[in-house]
Amino acid sequence: MASTDTDDSPVRAQLAQHLGFLYPDSNAERLADEVIAIFDHLEEQRPLPLHQLWSQEDCLLITYGDSIVDGNAVPLETLHAFLKQHVKDSISAVHVLPFCPFSSDDGFAVIDYTQVNPKLGDWSEISQIADDYRLMADIVINHVSSESQWFENYRKGIEPGASYIMEANAGDDLSEVVRPRASSLLRPTETSAGLKHVWCTFSHDQVDLDFRNPQVLMEFLKIIRLYLEHGVSIFRLDAVGFLWKEPGTTCMHLPQTHEVVKLIRTVTDFFAPGTLLITETNVPNHENLTYFGNRNEAHVIYNFSLAPLLVHALLTGKTEYLKRWMMTMPPAPVGCTYLNFTASHDGIGMRPAEGLLSDEEQLQLVETVRRFGGHVSTRRTPDGGERVYELNVALFDALRGTVKGEDPWQVERFLCSQTVMMALEGIPAFYIHSLLATPNDQAGVDATKHNRSINRHKWNWQDLQRKLSDKGSVHHQVFHELIRRIDLRRQMLPFHPNATQFTLQLHEPFFAFWRQSTDRSQSVFCVHNMTDSVQELRLSDLNLIAMDAWHDAISGTRFDDQNAVLNVAPYQSLWITNRPTSR
């Protein structure tokens, strides 16, 4: 870490290069000095070598600070109690979704980045969670709340803020701008300088920031420093793909946007080595992959295509699209990996399925999810039309049945979805409501009038305790079985995020792949029946080394006859491995 006696000349030169690209009309050396001054005297930590950034023992939990509430404690304390009592060390990292004061979008319209929402707790509760788990926090970098001091100052024409907000001018060509929403892009706003048109990518309460001003970048570097001081070690750059705007372009993934990510990576690598950057870019797969850069941007990118393709396979019993996608996915570069997830605080994004699922397959998916109580959100296209942007549904209820209708296999189908996720190359991430088998919260939608509320339920702590203690509840069954499988995964070297992965060509009902440990000592054949009927699996179709003893780590079943034919139950998952695993 930097201190008064640390040689910062290498990072100074690298920062000047980034800043010279971003701000060619400014003094890049002076700006580099400003960045270094922000991080000077940050508490020293021991850097982690690349091969120790993650392992098969890593697993992430995604949660709001108030996903569990108790009238006797602030929500962050209650969350910490849940983690310590129930999750324990099965999870290594916790993503607490935006915890700052906000005006809308459940935290993603930030009023003040430097404060913890007092309704959740304070910085001491954030730091206490960081003492027990690697803590991931959002940097909501594209926009700020219209109730923020920055926006108020913009309207009054005073700094900081007067030059922080992105405006559009008359005559700007905005026809190609990519939007995630169907609302109008521009918000007319009265200011001390007259009527202005403010850029709002997401909503009129979320006003976009103008990163063409280097002081906006400096503000966010100060925020990153503050979060580091409170124990945050993983940063999620929210909606980062929209960050830099140039009229006449799509305003997505512009070279300057990638350069900002590279600069943040340079800063954290030097001043806080071991810190991870995750980019949130809910876009088609080929665009998402660009955020690895040349191993100099994100350490981790979300595997956005997994969720819609996996749900489609489980609802239809057809695995061809899932297999085709997986076969084309490149291994993550050295020092990088994927974050695998099937549910989050948002819905199931459909943009990452574009080009992978046909329009007809997407429509079938939409109709099925609607039958199971879900909703659909749309986005505006450049030609003025609308397309499906995301499916808003609790994943547990999205898998209530198949395209044929509801059936008795909901729990098994759901467990299969999570077992696929945790076996794939990368780090698995569980949304708290998946871990708890939370159903659709239609009452939340009715109260907020926002579709995403369907998957943002707030559990009462006492009620949740009772559900998790009741062996007859689906919440108990799903939670304890998932924790058991997570604990099995943590023991198995082939599930290292960068271990070898190869898609197997078993017959249609099966989705299967092979993982091998980096030292080649252990293999796992991950086989999943994606249908509602019993399927036959010939062990001879797998490459089981004859001299090894093989068993299914999940069920404990031994396979003494490697030519045996197994009857695989509906939605059953098998982890066929050649090394003992304690159960």
Side-chain angles (χ1 to χ4, degrees), residues 19 34 109 123 174-175 184 231 247 319-320 409 466 488 536 568 573:
L19 293 161
E34 194 172 340
W123 280 114
L174 307 179
S175 60
S184 58
T319 61
E320 59 185 289
W409 299 106
R466 285 192 290 271
L488 285 173
E536 289 189 349
V568 184
S573 297

Side-chain angles (χ1 to χ4, degrees), residues 494-506:
F495 290 141
H496 185 286
N498 298 118
T500 297
Q501 176 172 285
F502 183 81
T503 309
L504 300 176
Q505 298 303 314
L506 301 185

Side-chain angles (χ1 to χ4, degrees), residues 64 66 102-107 345 375 377 392 441-458:
Y64 278 102
D66 60 354
F102 68 96
S103 55
S104 64
D105 200 16
D106 282 348
H345 58 289
H375 301 283
S377 297
N392 302 112
D441 187 353
Q442 183 58 42
V445 176
D446 295 340
T448 65
K449 309 304 180 187
H450 294 299
N451 287 346
R452 285 179 167 178
S453 296
I454 200 167
N455 197 27
R456 298 178 178 179
H457 180 70
K458 290 180 173 58

Side-chain angles (χ1 to χ4, degrees), residues 484 488 492 551-557 574-577 581 583:
R484 186 182 77 85
L488 285 173
M492 301 175 72
H551 72 285
D552 172 27
I554 295 177
S555 67
T557 303
L574 301 150
W575 286 348
I576 300 174
T577 184
T581 307
R583 301 181 60 247

Side-chain angles (χ1 to χ4, degrees), residues 62 64 67 97 106 342-348 375 391-398 431-434 437-442 444-445 450-458:
I62 307 166
Y64 278 102
S67 290
L97 289 155
D106 282 348
T342 54
S344 72
H345 58 289
D346 293 337
I348 298 170
H375 301 283
L391 307 177
N392 302 112
V393 65
L395 184 63
F396 186 63
D397 272 354
Y431 186 39
I432 191 170
H433 292 306
S434 294
T438 308
N440 290 334
D441 187 353
Q442 183 58 42
V445 176
H450 294 299
N451 287 346
R452 285 179 167 178
S453 296
I454 200 167
N455 197 27
R456 298 178 178 179
H457 180 70
K458 290 180 173 58

Side-chain angles (χ1 to χ4, degrees), residues 91-127:
I91 297 291
S92 61
V94 179
H95 175 196
V96 180
L97 289 155
F99 47 72
C100 300
F102 68 96
S103 55
S104 64
D105 200 16
D106 282 348
F108 287 92
V110 178
I111 294 174
D112 185 349
Y113 294 88
T114 68
Q115 301 296 320
V116 176
N117 184 348
K119 294 180 180 179
L120 298 179
D122 57 30
W123 280 114
S124 65
E125 279 86 31
I126 292 291
S127 297

